[in-house]
Amino acid sequence: MGNSVGNDTVNRQVRLAARPTGLPGPEVWEHTTEPVPAPGPGRLVVKVSHISLDPAMRGWMNAGRSYIPPVEVGAVMRALGLGEVVASEHPDFAVGDTVTGTFGVQTYAESDGSGLTTVTPTADVPPQRYLALLGMTGMTAYFGLFDVGALAEGETVVVSGAAGAVGSVVGQLAKIKGCRVVGIAGGPQKCAWLVDELGFDAAIDYRAEDVRTALRTAAPDGVDVYFDNVGGEILDAALTRLRRGARVVICGAIAGYNATEPPPGPSNYLSLLVNRARMEGFVVFDYADRYGEAAAELSGWLEQGRIQSREDVVDGTVEDFGDVLLRLFRGENTGKLVLRLTH
């Protein structure tokens, strides 16, 4: 209980001003301010220090039916984040606690505590890691690979967007389970990182190589699990390399998120029939009651040095959010992209 918010504190916010067509430019955002509210009974206020940047944000801006309601025009942009409790009338949260939750793109967030998790950053585990390996990123990789992908030891796994937040974790988890892992990423530096530092068996630079041809070399016996973060032509190429009983895990399709016309369907989908394979999408929120299970295993592997977490941290203000978000769609990040607020 308590309150460490000054009376003159202003909450700076980024709101969705219009639904984007193509890449979300500056015209999509409105910057607003309002007073920071005093929390009522059972509520708390968080000073946000870190904002998670995720490809899914682009889909949240669109109108229409999806796995989660769209961000309404005029509303604060949805975002996962981390921060410190600065005022509390909630029995489960005290001033000074560090918490994660869906706080939105703003400097302060009021909450009733629903969906918040108290975390304990240390010298070895920086705050941003709870938005990466120890947060939704890790949960997505874990359940997507092990539950949806039904991974078995010794299989061949191919991951697209492999140098991104989720893809880089998926590949490492597959290596822990004794699999051959091939990553698809953009640029020689990312590909070298996958092989030299994360232990992938091979990496394909989609910007410099023909992916379909390169997959024949990197996975000569075919693919048991294809974990897709990209969609488009790369998904189509991977479908040609499926083994009998393969699983295609649809996590994302960033290649088409900013398209102004509907993308074509995969032309090689009959490979699913021929190989008795399946292609399945998933949403990590469906596994919320098992997050603790995944967090325990991921934390253990991190402590043992069997897995790395790389966070691409950009220092800035909430007003920088729109520019930082575009880094995702230009492929400029390696690992998990996080905006650390300098307030």
Side-chain angles (χ1 to χ4, degrees):
M1 304 295 180
N3 190 335
S4 62
V5 180
N7 292 331
D8 58 350
T9 301
V10 173
N11 183 21
R12 305 199 318 279
Q13 304 166 315
V14 176
R15 296 177 181 269
L16 185 66
R19 301 211 180 278
T21 300
L23 284 169
E27 72 283 353
V28 167
W29 310 115
E30 179 186 11
H31 299 151
T32 61
T33 59
E34 63 180 34
V36 177
R43 302 189 70 84
L44 65 147
V45 173
V46 175
K47 183 178 182 180
V48 180
S49 60
H50 296 74
I51 294 174
S52 175
L53 284 296
D54 300 290
M57 287 175 155
R58 181 60 186 82
W60 299 343
M61 300 176 206
N62 296 333
R65 181 178 176 272
S66 186
Y67 64 90
I68 191 171
V71 177
E72 296 297 335
V73 173
V76 174
M77 180 59 197
R78 181 185 295 132
L80 299 174
L82 177 144
E84 180 183 348
V85 177
V86 292
S88 179
E89 296 296 333
H90 194 293
D92 298 333
F93 299 94
V95 169
D97 285 350
T98 301
V99 293
T100 61
T102 304
F103 298 136
V105 184
Q106 54 187 344
T107 52
Y108 290 85
E110 187 188 20
S111 172
D112 65 0
S114 299
L116 302 193
T117 302
T118 302
V119 298
T120 308
T122 65
D124 295 326
V125 183
Q128 59 267 19
R129 195 143 298 161
Y130 289 99
L131 298 176
L133 178 69
L134 301 180
M136 284 300 110
T137 293
M139 303 297 112
T140 301
Y142 183 96
F143 292 111
L145 183 62
F146 296 149
D147 281 62
V148 184
L151 185 71
E153 184 176 350
E155 292 189 316
T156 296
V157 178
V158 174
V159 189
S160 63
V166 172
S168 60
V169 177
V170 167
Q172 293 180 85
L173 293 180
K175 289 303 298 180
I176 287 173
K177 297 299 183 180
C179 294
R180 175 173 176 78
V181 179
V182 179
I184 303 173
Q189 290 182 325
K190 289 183 178 181
C191 289
W193 176 62
L194 294 177
V195 174
D196 298 339
E197 296 190 39
L198 300 190
F200 283 46
D201 296 284
I204 297 169
D205 182 354
Y206 72 85
R207 294 178 178 171
E209 302 176 72
D210 178 78
V211 173
R212 187 167 177 172
T213 301
L215 278 173
R216 285 199 292 270
T217 300
D221 297 324
V223 176
D224 297 292
V225 177
Y226 173 57
F227 196 103
D228 190 33
N229 295 296
V230 174
E233 294 179 357
I234 292 177
L235 167 60
D236 224 17
L239 288 174
T240 69
R241 299 300 303 157
L242 299 184
R243 295 186 68 188
R244 184 163 181 164
R247 288 81 68 201
V248 178
V249 181
I250 303 299
C251 180
I254 195 171
Y257 285 168
N258 295 293
T260 55
E261 296 181 0
S267 59
N268 296 317
Y269 74 96
L270 281 179
S271 176
L272 298 169
L273 183 156
V274 172
N275 295 293
R276 289 75 153 178
R278 64 175 169 86
M279 182 160 61
E280 182 177 350
F282 77 104
V283 176
V284 70
F285 304 143
D286 294 341
Y287 297 87
D289 62 344
R290 294 176 55 200
Y291 286 171
E293 165 197 330
E297 282 216 86
L298 292 167
S299 295
W301 289 325
L302 184 65
E303 291 173 4
Q304 296 163 16
R306 301 181 70 189
I307 192 169
Q308 298 180 34
S309 180
R310 179 164 175 172
E311 298 89 36
D312 195 335
V313 179
V314 178
D315 288 329
T317 66
V318 291
E319 290 78 14
D320 296 318
F321 165 77
D323 289 337
V324 178
L325 179 65
L326 291 178
R327 295 188 183 202
L328 284 175
F329 305 116
R330 292 193 292 252
E332 295 175 359
N333 63 299
T334 301
K336 173 66 182 176
L337 185 60
V338 177
L339 174 60
R340 180 167 54 196
L341 298 183
T342 55
H343 284 274

